[in-house]
Amino acid sequence: QLVESGGGFVQAGGSLRLSCAASGRTFNNYAMGWFRQAPGKEREFVAVINWSGDGTYYADPVKGRFTISRDNAKNTVYLQVNSLKAEDTAVYYCAASTMRAGTATEGDFGSWGQGTQVTVSS
């Protein structure tokens, strides 16, 4: 089970820290990813971190503004989102993939959280 938290309403330029707590699994057997879905749009990849935390990959629109990290001792993955823009408004989902090295392909993720809403006002 994956449970996201930390979403909210912020003004443009603001920051949030999203968290995703995992239970019922050996956390470090999985790469962890964040995706988002804006109203009227398809879900899109945001960032991924490999099983050990020393490898990350980001979608171009968020590079330099978002940082993914994980704490395997706490079974938690984080997404620090800075310099938020109105176009970052979306429901943010965390997901787990057995491709431990990491992947940006949505179909490679077999477990998903329920999502947390991030709303950015311009």
Side-chain angles (χ1 to χ4, degrees):
Q1 182 181 11
L2 301 174
V3 179
E4 301 96 335
S5 61
F9 183 92
V10 296
Q11 292 187 339
S15 298
L16 289 171
R17 189 192 197 200
L18 309 184
S19 299
C20 173
S23 61
R25 64 187 72 231
T26 304
F27 188 64
N28 62 6
N29 279 349
Y30 298 85
M32 298 298 297
W34 286 94
F35 291 76
R36 67 185 182 184
Q37 187 168 21
K41 295 185 177 181
E42 294 188 351
R43 189 159 57 187
E44 64 176 1
F45 167 77
V46 174
V48 65
I49 188 166
N50 69 352
W51 69 276
S52 61
D54 61 359
T56 58
Y57 179 72
Y58 298 89
D60 286 343
V62 308
K63 283 181 180 177
R65 300 188 298 120
F66 290 12
T67 302
I68 188 171
S69 61
R70 66 189 294 163
D71 186 336
N72 285 347
K74 295 182 178 180
N75 285 8
T76 302
V77 62
Y78 305 96
L79 187 68
Q80 179 68 41
V81 297
N82 298 329
S83 301
L84 283 163
K85 306 174 182 180
E87 52 263 43
D88 294 319
T89 294
V91 177
Y92 284 71
Y93 299 90
C94 74
S97 172
T98 56
M99 299 182 67
R100 299 177 76 202
T103 173
T105 302
E106 184 172 337
D108 291 335
F109 290 83
S111 298
W112 293 82
Q114 83 290 347
T116 186
Q117 175 72 46
V118 172
T119 303
V120 184
S121 66
S122 58

